[in-house]
Each structure stands twice: as C-alpha cells, then as structure tokens.
Amino acid sequence: MNRKTWVLPSVIGLLAPVLAGCGGLGSGDSDNKPIIVGTGDVFTVTKKVPAPFDPAYAYDIGSWNLLRQTVQSLMRIPRGGGEPEAEAAQECSFTDSGMQRYVCKLRDGLKFADGDPITSKEFKYSIQRVVNIKADSGVRGLLTNIQTIQTPSAREIVFLLKAPDATFPYKLATPTAAAVNPKLYPPRKLRTGFALDGSGPYTLKAETKGQVLTKAVFSRNPNYKGGLKLENDKVELRPFTDPEKMGDALTDGTIDVIAKGLSTKQTEDLQSKPPEHVNITEMPGLEIRYLAFDTDDAAVTKPVRRAIAQLVDRGQIVTQVYGTSAEPLYSLVPARIAGHTNSFFNLYGAPSVDKARKILTDAGISTPVKLTLHYTTDHYGPRTKGEFAVLEKQLNDSGLFQADVKSAPWDVFRTDEIAGKYKAYGMGWFPDFPDPDNFVAPFLDIPNFPNSPYNNDTIVKKLLPDSRREADRLGANADSLEKIQDIVADDVPYLPLWQGKQYVATRDDITGAEWALSTSSILQLWELGRGVGG
C-alpha cells in the first residue's frame, strides 16, 4: 500500500506541545537570576575540530545552537516554523521571476556587540569567507550557488545565483550566513577555539577546562537590533556527559532546564511521574537517523544494501532503544514535512529474511556477508550504542550476514567517515531549515555532507533543480521529491531508520518551555523566562 503524509511545514511548529506537571506564572525577585540550561551536547577543540564555533566551520546542531544565540543572519526561521522572516534585514525578496536575484535591505543602525557598525559589506565579507575557506565540514555547500554578491549601498545587498533556488532565503537564515567582524575573523583562516562574537541577541563568555567547554554564559546584547524579543537577561548553558547527573541537577534545582540529552528511561519516568516542581514538554521534531554506505565499495554493492533494507526492523529498534521518543522512518524526508512519502515501506514492506535471501541469491552473492557497522560514541547520545547492538543482532540472526560493530568518538569518526574509511556507518541529521530540500540535497547533491560517492544524474541534474525552481514549497515540487525518494529506496545509498521527538524538562518557575526548541531543534534561549513555581 502506498502511504503518504502531506503536512505544511508551517504547521509543524504549531502542533500543541504536551505538558506534564504544573507551570508557574508571574514575576518576583528571582527574575534577575540567570536561567541555567543543561544539555547533552559536549564541545571540544581538537586538531581535527579546531574551530567548533566559527560560522565558516561549524556544521552540527550543537554548535549551531550556540551560534544562533550570538551571531545574526539576514533572515531567521519563526519560532513556530514556516517561511523565513527578516532578522538583520529589514526586508528581503526575489526581484525576478526566475529566482536568481535576491535582494535584502538591512535594518538601520546595525552594530556588532562591541559597537562596530555593520553594513552590507560586512555581510558580503562574511559569506564570501565561508566559501573561500572551504572547511572540510562541508558547510560551504549551503552557499556555493551564489554567483556574485553586490553591495550597491551600505544597507543593500544583492545576491545573484548560479541557478534558481527557492530555498535560498532558508539558507540565509542559517548561522553560516551570519555577519562576523573582519577584525576578529580572518578572510581565509578559521578562528580557532571557543571564541564567538557577533550581533545576535546575546554575547558569549565561554568557560573551559583544557580543551572542553564547561559553561557557556549568554548575556543580553545591548546593541542587538532584530526581530527577537528576549524574555531573560542571562542564560548559562552547561554540558553534561551523564544523563543521570543532569537529571539529578534538575530535580535538586541546580539547573532549571534540560534542553537535550534525556535518556529514554528519564523521558518515560518524567512523563509518568514527574518529580515535584518539574515539568516535561513534548514537541514534534525533525531529527532523523540513518545508515550510510560507501556505494563504491565492493563489500556493500547494491544487492547487499537492498538485502539490509529488507532485513532491518525499524520498529524493534524504536521499541527496544528509544521508546516513545522516536518512530520508524521510511524515507530521508521525515513525516510532517511536505512531500514525505514512505518509499522504503512501499518497496520492501515488512522485514523478511526470505526476501533478503532471494536478493542476495539472485545476485550470486555468497552468505554470510561480512560487514562492519561503525557509529560515533559521543555525538548522538548514549542510546546509539544500543541501536547498533540491535542492528547487529538483526543482521546476524538472519544467517545472511556476519556483522560486527565498531565505534569511535566524533572527532575521529567524522574525520574517518569523510575520508571514506567506512563501508557502513550510522549518522544523524538535524535540518538546516524545515524544507524537504534540506533532507535530500545535503545527501544526494555533489558535493554532499557525508562525502558520499553516490551520484545519480537524474537526481542531481534534473530532480533537485526542478524542485528548487518551485516557489510553492508546500506541494508544487511534490512530484520531483517523490521521485527522489523512490530512487533512494531502490539504490539504498542511505537507509533511514527513525525520526525523533523532542522533550524539554524544566523547573516549574520557568516559562516558555514550549518554544525552547523549534521543530528543527533550534535552541531558542531567548524564549525562556522565570515566573513563580506552582
């Protein structure tokens, strides 16, 4: 049966959050206390990851969430999702029918946090800097469709694109396109370490131990001019490597919020019986997890990949490892995004050892097939280990595979993955922006985020460009998107596994929890306020 889901992106963030516990309202002497937020994201500086907070390098959700508090882009995604709105810009729009000329007019009087003025030339410098540095993180791919940037006046900036791209406003809403001060950010060299300066709603003071960030202190930026309303003056973000210790810190009031990093058990316990003065808010999310394959490697040919797709039981992974915080995913484009279709379910149906065996037999492949699955230990949370244990068992129990699992910390894993050292490996994706293009182009275009050798001419030369020409992002590009998803299901360069939900836990004197994370997992610290506990 062909099952599809069609939901407008703008609707996603408007789905009512589910709140357990009692919330607090009002104000009091506690209003001036900093709000302390715990997170499972850990930030380190290494030789392989030298500049985690430089917009020309950063390309992971954790780093981007710190950048979004501190740097300012021309556009921003509204807190409830939908089309981008002006941020550092006063207004922006395409000025041609072909969507290749995009013009922005800046707000008057923009300044960096240190008081230096911002003009169109600073934005041009910052965006060209990302493209010129060519960081191995792949973040420059968001901006490589820019042909030229013109600055006819101090407040006007004109982008001429190489090809039509209706998603360009979304790309200008990412930290990658934010303004940085040329005095602090060299034109062709990364700014290493944890230094981070911009014109966003907050300034950042980073506290470290060795090469590890122990606390990020965000203070209201008096020079900020933008569309955000801040509900607080100061927020402290504290990374935790142990979910249980983070949970204990929330229960005893050491921290006020957990924005990311709850374990499955913690989430279920908080939902069923929250501690006194603690709330948990459930929100829809667009995080996805998937297996990626080196499609040029003879060990994972198309029949092998298709056999794995026929064997993997997503429901078992979700039930045993993630519980209510995830749901099976049958496409790179998640449910609740316009254009989603269950292509993998439509093609493979329920998991079947017999069907997988036939795929391998018809291709003349002897069994068991030896295979190593790789995953990272410290980037997507501790539950990843359990996920790969289930995957390993599913493959081996079929008798068709002899699989084992290896792991590495993110700085090693990501470097080796980009270098093509893995045949099959697990990755996650938080969207750069809530448009279906951002769930296909980063994986299938050339170049792409995983540095995959997979190259399908129909996708790259026809379907992606056709989709980007459609200004109506709510359905006019559906035919191209459906064909892309069906090709991926047939070729299996990637195997989607699950789609996540989001949970924010707070003390009951904290307001704004329902907006603390957007559907794209954007951390919106400015939405948090302090009231009176119930």
Side-chain angles (χ1 to χ4, degrees):
M1 179 176 65
N2 190 351
R3 302 188 296 176
K4 299 181 182 178
T5 304
W6 297 88
V7 180
L8 306 185
S10 59
V11 172
I12 302 171
L14 301 179
L15 296 176
V18 179
L19 182 65
C22 57
L25 298 174
S27 60
D29 294 337
S30 63
D31 286 356
N32 294 324
K33 289 174 56 179
I35 295 173
I36 303 174
V37 179
T39 177
D41 289 326
V42 177
F43 307 94
T44 59
V45 172
T46 67
K47 289 183 179 180
K48 295 178 179 179
V49 185
F53 296 162
D54 190 323
Y57 182 88
Y59 201 19
D60 65 272
I61 189 66
S63 295
W64 267 23
N65 274 335
L66 268 70
L67 265 68
R68 289 185 191 276
Q69 320 306 314
T70 314
V71 299
Q72 188 180 28
S73 303
L74 290 165
M75 306 290 284
R76 65 178 173 86
I77 304 298
R79 69 179 186 176
E83 296 184 2
E85 297 177 347
E87 172 54 14
Q90 179 177 304
E91 57 185 5
C92 292
S93 64
F94 283 106
T95 60
D96 65 329
S97 59
M99 289 179 292
Q100 289 186 256
R101 187 177 190 271
Y102 196 74
V103 180
C104 290
K105 182 179 181 180
L106 301 184
R107 294 178 188 265
D108 189 25
L110 288 174
K111 296 179 182 179
F112 289 110
D114 64 3
D116 286 350
I118 300 174
T119 69
S120 56
K121 290 184 179 179
E122 277 69 45
F123 270 99
K124 178 179 180 178
Y125 172 90
S126 303
I127 291 171
Q128 287 185 331
R129 176 177 178 271
V130 174
V131 176
N132 291 340
I133 286 178
K134 301 179 180 179
D136 61 10
S137 64
V139 71
R140 67 187 290 266
L142 290 169
L143 304 175
T144 51
N145 191 35
I146 298 173
Q147 181 71 51
T148 58
I149 303 176
Q150 301 171 352
T151 54
S153 71
R155 292 181 60 194
E156 188 177 14
I157 183 166
V158 180
F159 299 93
L160 302 179
L161 307 183
K162 299 174 185 176
D165 185 4
T167 71
F168 188 65
Y170 289 94
K171 294 170 183 175
L172 290 184
T174 66
T176 306
V180 296
N181 195 326
K183 295 193 312 185
L184 302 174
Y185 292 82
R188 293 183 178 272
K189 184 180 178 182
L190 292 171
R191 188 182 184 189
T192 57
F194 293 120
L196 178 54
D197 296 272
S199 58
Y202 297 101
T203 60
L204 170 67
K205 178 183 177 182
E207 297 185 14
T208 62
K209 184 177 182 180
Q211 299 301 306
V212 179
L213 182 75
T214 56
K215 184 190 298 183
V217 181
F218 296 99
S219 300
R220 182 188 290 261
N221 174 14
N223 287 323
Y224 170 69
K225 284 192 174 183
L228 299 175
K229 178 185 176 183
L230 277 66
E231 299 294 336
N232 59 69
D233 290 324
K234 181 176 287 188
V235 180
E236 295 181 6
L237 188 72
R238 298 184 185 178
F240 284 80
T241 56
D242 186 335
E244 298 304 320
K245 289 183 179 179
M246 183 163 57
D248 291 342
L250 180 69
T251 300
D252 66 24
T254 303
I255 64 175
D256 301 300
V257 181
I258 295 178
K260 186 179 178 183
L262 290 169
S263 69
T264 300
K265 185 177 186 305
Q266 286 175 309
T267 300
E268 293 173 348
D269 288 348
L270 286 171
Q271 287 176 309
S272 61
K273 190 178 180 181
E276 187 178 10
H277 303 303
V278 172
N279 304 319
I280 185 167
T281 305
E282 175 187 319
M283 295 163 287
L286 299 177
E287 172 190 6
I288 69 169
R289 295 288 176 85
Y290 60 94
L291 278 178
F293 300 96
D294 181 351
T295 53
D296 280 353
D297 196 297
V300 283
T301 58
K302 182 175 177 177
V304 171
R305 302 194 303 268
R306 285 173 59 88
I308 294 172
Q310 186 64 72
L311 284 172
V312 168
D313 187 338
R314 297 165 175 82
Q316 186 181 59
I317 294 171
V318 168
T319 300
Q320 293 188 9
V321 182
Y322 294 99
T324 60
S325 62
E327 56 189 310
L329 180 63
Y330 296 92
S331 171
L332 286 176
V333 179
R336 296 185 290 274
I337 279 284
H340 162 80
T341 181
N342 289 314
S343 296
F344 275 84
F345 185 86
N346 298 338
L347 184 58
Y348 298 97
S352 171
V353 174
D354 290 340
K355 290 181 179 179
R357 181 181 292 108
K358 186 176 188 306
I359 291 172
L360 295 173
T361 300
D362 289 351
I365 296 174
S366 300
T367 58
V369 177
K370 291 185 178 181
L371 181 68
T372 297
L373 304 175
H374 295 264
Y375 73 92
T376 177
T377 56
D378 58 354
H379 195 67
Y380 300 120
R383 288 178 285 185
T384 309
K385 180 179 180 180
E387 175 181 341
F388 274 78
V390 174
L391 280 169
E392 179 185 26
K393 189 173 188 304
Q394 288 180 357
L395 294 177
N396 290 340
D397 283 355
S398 73
L400 303 176
F401 285 86
Q402 184 179 330
D404 66 334
V405 173
K406 293 184 179 180
S407 61
W410 177 249
D411 60 335
V412 175
F413 175 89
R414 178 63 172 149
T415 302
D416 288 347
E417 178 263 314
I418 292 174
K421 294 185 178 181
Y422 302 147
K423 300 173 184 178
Y425 54 95
M427 293 285 284
W429 182 251
F430 296 85
D432 303 327
F433 47 86
D435 184 275
D437 181 85
N438 197 238
F439 290 94
V440 290
F443 309 101
L444 305 172
D445 211 346
I446 303 296
N448 55 65
F449 165 69
N451 199 32
S452 169
Y454 179 72
N455 184 357
N456 185 288
D457 277 354
T458 301
I459 293 176
V460 173
K461 296 181 179 179
K462 177 173 173 50
L463 297 177
L464 282 177
D466 285 353
S467 171
R468 289 169 178 162
R469 288 189 182 95
E470 297 292 346
D472 176 9
R473 307 306 297 163
L474 305 182
N477 58 353
D479 185 59
S480 297
L481 286 168
E482 182 174 346
K483 290 177 180 177
I484 290 171
Q485 292 168 84
D486 288 346
I487 291 172
V488 171
D490 185 63
D491 287 348
V492 202
Y494 307 99
L495 180 65
L497 297 173
W498 57 264
Q499 172 180 347
K501 299 178 184 178
Q502 301 184 121
Y503 297 89
V504 174
T506 64
R507 300 288 296 180
D508 64 4
D509 62 338
I510 298 298
T511 61
E514 67 271 27
W515 301 114
L517 286 172
S518 75
T519 55
S520 300
S521 299
I522 296 172
L523 185 61
Q524 302 177 144
L525 295 179
W526 51 85
E527 297 284 356
L528 297 173
R530 192 180 292 278
V532 176

